[in-house]
Amino acid sequence: FPYTTLFRSKEGITTSTKEKKETPGGLWHKCNSCKHIVPSKDHAARMYVCEKCGYHDRINSQEYFEILLDEDDDAIELNENLSSDDPLNFVDTKKYTDRNRETQKKTGLKDAIRTVTGKIHGQGVVISCMDFAFIGGSLGSVMGEKIRRAVDYCIEHQLPYMIICQSGGARMQEAAYSLMQLAKVQSKLAQLSDKKLPYIAYLCDPTFGGITASFAMTA
């Protein structure tokens, strides 16, 4: 009977898990909006915008730096080793120190913002970019200090300054220490303005809370 092969045992028609060829991860990208699938390298070449529906993906600081800065530019990261302390001994579902350490390990970042100095079309610039993956890009004492130092660097070297904002707002684990950074940053940006140096704020998804109420809108 020609169709007897259809009734073979399960063992005879399946392939074991060990024998299956697995596709390496990261080769394909599925749009979070329309579910369109494209090769990851093509999606990156379109600056992480879906070719079908125009949806903009959230991207991290490294990807922003690669898009904005000249390809042949050797950008230098400033103050890369600053890391938050735990001045309040804060505990919610876990200790703040543990949360900070775990997030650093997971993301490879020291805190929620990175600063580089490089060139855009040959023009020197300093860029600070937040990473939403690091505790929601929240504003803590390290972010305030990094921005302060970035402004001082701009004034010293006569460079424009850009902040790429993607943040849920102040970091609750640092409470008043976090809120103090708003005034600190605003005062430094006033010094930048006094020196007639440009300040550009680039608002991304999301930009909320104290960030919106202060330096995100100051530009």
Side-chain angles (χ1 to χ4, degrees):
F1 186 70
Y3 298 106
T4 52
T5 53
L6 294 176
F7 301 99
R8 287 178 182 173
S9 66
K10 182 179 179 181
E11 289 75 17
I13 62 173
T14 60
T15 304
S16 69
T17 302
K18 291 182 180 179
E19 295 173 3
K20 290 181 179 179
K21 298 290 185 181
E22 296 294 340
T23 302
L27 294 179
W28 298 91
H29 172 80
K30 179 188 286 188
C31 176
N32 288 320
S33 179
C34 71
K35 311 305 178 186
H36 180 61
I37 298 175
V38 295
S40 295
K41 64 178 182 179
D42 292 348
H43 186 57
R46 288 183 53 85
M47 299 185 184
Y48 309 94
V49 178
C50 178
E51 65 179 9
K52 184 176 181 181
C53 71
Y55 178 83
H56 288 59
D57 273 322
R58 288 177 181 169
I59 60 177
N60 61 38
S61 57
Q62 184 60 39
E63 290 162 338
Y64 272 111
F65 296 149
E66 290 172 358
I67 289 172
L68 292 170
L69 297 172
D70 294 347
E71 289 186 8
D72 58 349
D73 178 42
D74 294 324
I76 300 172
E77 185 166 358
L78 305 175
N79 309 302
E80 66 269 27
N81 292 319
L82 291 184
S83 180
S84 291
D85 200 357
D86 184 16
L88 303 177
N89 297 314
F90 193 94
V91 179
D92 44 53
T93 56
K94 63 179 67 174
K95 292 181 179 179
Y96 178 40
T97 50
D98 293 342
R99 184 184 301 280
N100 207 39
R101 184 167 53 250
E102 290 170 8
T103 306
Q104 288 177 342
K105 184 177 180 180
K106 181 179 178 180
T107 62
L109 304 168
K110 289 293 185 180
D111 203 78
I113 195 168
R114 294 174 64 202
T115 300
V116 299
T117 178
K119 293 181 179 179
I120 299 177
H121 299 304
Q123 166 65 53
V125 65
V126 174
I127 305 175
S128 292
C129 182
M130 301 174 192
D131 276 279
F132 192 77
F134 197 102
I135 314 182
S138 50
L139 169 67
S141 54
V142 167
M143 184 181 290
E145 180 61 17
K146 279 195 170 186
I147 293 174
R148 181 193 74 78
R149 295 188 185 190
V151 172
D152 285 343
Y153 188 94
C154 288
I155 292 173
E156 179 182 355
H157 297 277
Q158 292 293 289
L159 294 172
Y161 185 41
M162 173 188 284
I163 297 181
I164 300 173
C165 302
Q166 42 183 341
S167 173
R171 187 172 298 178
M172 68 175 186
Q173 292 90 346
E174 296 188 25
Y177 289 91
S178 174
L179 297 177
M180 288 166 59
Q181 306 309 311
L182 300 174
K184 177 179 179 179
V185 170
Q186 289 294 87
S187 66
K188 295 306 297 184
L189 292 176
Q191 293 178 19
L192 194 70
S193 178
D194 290 342
K195 298 295 182 180
K196 307 300 181 184
L197 293 170
Y199 166 51
I200 303 162
Y202 190 78
L203 277 59
C204 303
D205 174 29
T207 301
F208 293 131
I211 302 295
T212 305
S214 57
F215 57 85
M217 296 295 182
T218 298

